[in-house]
Amino acid sequence: AQSVTQLDSQVPVFEEAPVELRCNYSSSVSVYLFWYVQYPNQGLQLLLKYLSGSTLVKGINGFEAEFNKSQTSFHLRKPSVHISDTAEYFCAVFYTGGFKTIFGAGTRLFVKA
Amino acid sequence: GAGVSQTPSNKVTEKGKYVELRCDPISGHTALYWYRQSLGQGPEFLIYFQGTGAADDSGLPNDRFFAVRPEGSVSTLKIQRTERGDSAVYLCASSLGLGQGLGETQYFGPGTRLLVL
């Protein structure tokens, strides 16, 4: 079955510290990978996506993610977080050949001063 | 419009009632998606429209749920005989619709929060 696992439901971190939010998905032949962010009382917005090419993808607000096919992972990283990064982050996978995008359960990033 | 809009933003209804949730996609976007997000979960796919037709409705949980998009723009999600378990945030998203195989970015609306008492 197709599934997306976000290993941490909550990640507390101090301001200016680095952070990694983990995402693993069930293996498949071909996938597109996405990270979305949901700020409090706002809709989901795209942070970055991987379709093909370089496995290191850079997105908005200083975030980046690395596609690792052998480990079926797409972890999100930021070298130095800000208070304003406090939000819920969702990993999503589109299995090519179908129509569905499958989302993980989300990771709540809480940045402390 | 500038983004995807959804109305109402909140809907409270009683068990057994009928509800309609509306989605207005970004102008020019031919692809439209409905998701359901329960508390503490990620969005769960319900249905995907390409133009007026539902290309994939495999995520609709049962026959109480139905969605239409008669003119290929606005879409309505309809829920009959609501149950308490239907309480969730219902999200709508749209994309250009040039082809699912292109990995298009989906643009999400703010959602409708449905509470069934």
Side-chain angles (χ1 to χ4, degrees):
Chain A
Q2 298 165 346
S3 65
V4 180
T5 302
Q6 292 186 241
L7 295 163
D8 306 294
S9 59
Q10 294 186 69
V11 174
V13 64
F14 284 103
E15 193 174 20
E16 298 183 6
V19 70
E20 178 179 80
L21 306 183
R22 297 178 292 170
C23 174
N24 286 86
Y25 60 94
S26 58
S27 179
S28 181
V29 176
S30 179
V31 294
Y32 298 143
L33 301 161
F34 305 80
W35 275 98
Y36 284 85
V37 60
Q38 187 172 33
Y39 297 105
N41 300 314
Q42 294 186 29
L44 281 83
Q45 57 182 279
L46 183 71
L47 267 181
L48 50 78
K49 64 181 177 182
Y50 170 81
L51 303 183
S52 65
S54 172
T55 57
L56 183 63
V57 180
K58 294 189 183 298
I60 61 171
N61 301 338
F63 283 92
E64 63 181 33
E66 185 153 22
F67 169 54
N68 187 319
K69 187 174 182 178
S70 63
Q71 297 187 3
T72 60
S73 68
F74 190 55
H75 301 333
L76 181 70
R77 301 186 185 100
K78 185 169 182 178
S80 175
V81 295
H82 303 291
I83 297 285
S84 59
D85 292 325
T86 293
E88 185 119 29
Y89 292 79
F90 293 95
C91 179
V93 179
F94 178 80
Y95 292 84
T96 61
F99 298 104
K100 295 181 189 180
T101 299
I102 298 177
F103 285 77
T107 296
R108 184 169 298 277
L109 176 64
F110 179 58
V111 182
K112 301 178 284 186
Chain B
V4 178
S5 61
Q6 292 185 246
T7 54
S9 54
N10 291 281
K11 176 70 178 179
V12 181
T13 190
E14 293 179 344
K15 180 175 178 295
K17 299 289 189 183
Y18 168 84
V19 296
E20 290 189 351
L21 311 179
R22 176 188 166 108
C23 172
D24 212 325
I26 293 173
S27 178
H29 280 191
T30 61
L32 186 145
Y33 316 78
W34 283 99
Y35 294 87
R36 178 169 69 176
Q37 187 174 16
S38 301
L39 198 62
Q41 299 297 317
E44 175 192 7
F45 170 85
L46 295 177
I47 188 169
Y48 157 64
F49 284 93
Q50 178 57 47
T52 59
D56 186 347
D57 65 358
S58 63
L60 296 177
N62 51 59
D63 61 6
R64 296 187 297 106
F65 288 74
F66 189 71
V68 295
R69 195 185 185 201
E71 297 178 358
S73 178
V74 170
S75 176
T76 305
L77 179 66
K78 309 181 180 194
I79 311 174
Q80 298 177 320
R81 305 183 304 280
T82 52
E83 299 177 357
R84 292 193 179 89
D86 298 335
S87 297
V89 176
Y90 289 81
L91 300 171
C92 176
S94 70
S95 69
L96 281 170
L98 298 177
Q100 273 296 300
L102 300 179
E104 294 181 344
T105 297
Q106 295 180 33
Y107 297 87
F108 283 81
T112 293
R113 189 175 299 274
L114 175 66
L115 178 61
V116 182
L117 300 175

